[in-house]
Amino acid sequence: MEEILGGEKSVMAYLEILFLSQRSYEQRIEILEKKYGIMFKEESEMRKMCTFSDAIWEKGINIGREEGQKHGVKIGFNEGIRRSVMNLMKNHVTSNIEEAMDLLGVETSLRPDILKSIQIHE
């Protein structure tokens, strides 16, 4: 709390306290009163702003989770296959990418993405 109270007074810091802070409502009020000298007569307006910012924060987290679940597994799986293919080639089991994927039993539908990934990492 001390680092915030002693930090720079700026519009961006003020907005961050209002909308991006993970601090409680009471902590936000204390910061705004001590740092910015803002005294709140109407508690309900500030509470609405805090509730709104918390809702936005939660929505962002939920969107991130959904995207991670949707794409993260596929990306991680493809990365594992890419590494396995590269290890087969590095250890001279085969010198051919297609043959390495055959040895690993990589599905035909996944092969273009794996090839693309290998080309990016070369």
Side-chain angles (χ1 to χ4, degrees):
M1 180 78 98
E2 293 301 318
E3 71 275 0
I4 291 177
L5 293 175
E8 176 185 347
K9 283 185 184 180
S10 70
V11 172
M12 290 306 293
Y14 173 77
L15 293 173
E16 185 175 323
I17 291 165
L18 286 177
F19 297 110
L20 300 177
S21 177
Q22 290 295 293
R23 297 177 184 283
S24 70
Y25 167 77
E26 290 76 18
Q27 288 174 323
R28 292 181 201 188
I29 291 291
E30 182 181 352
I31 292 167
L32 294 172
E33 286 177 350
K34 288 182 178 177
K35 184 172 183 172
Y36 293 93
I38 299 170
M39 303 308 285
F40 292 93
K41 294 178 185 174
E42 289 289 326
E43 182 179 317
S44 63
E45 290 301 313
M46 179 61 183
R47 190 167 295 279
K48 283 179 190 175
M49 289 170 57
C50 290
T51 303
F52 176 70
S53 69
D54 290 343
I56 290 171
W57 186 266
E58 275 300 312
K59 184 175 182 180
I61 289 171
N62 289 335
I63 289 170
R65 281 188 185 131
E66 289 169 11
E67 289 297 311
Q69 289 172 347
K70 189 185 312 177
H71 301 293
V73 172
K74 180 181 177 188
I75 292 168
F77 182 74
N78 287 355
E79 177 62 15
I81 293 173
R82 182 194 71 79
R83 287 182 181 179
S84 296
V85 167
M86 297 307 291
N87 281 333
L88 287 173
M89 294 173 63
K90 179 181 171 185
N91 293 317
H92 307 288
V93 174
T94 183
S95 59
N96 181 295
I97 293 173
E98 288 293 331
E99 187 177 335
M101 287 194 283
D102 287 341
L103 289 169
L104 293 168
V106 176
E107 294 178 29
T108 306
S109 63
L110 297 175
R111 291 181 180 221
D113 288 340
I114 304 302
L115 284 169
K116 195 182 309 179
S117 176
I118 288 170
Q119 292 169 349
I120 290 171
H121 285 89
E122 287 183 332

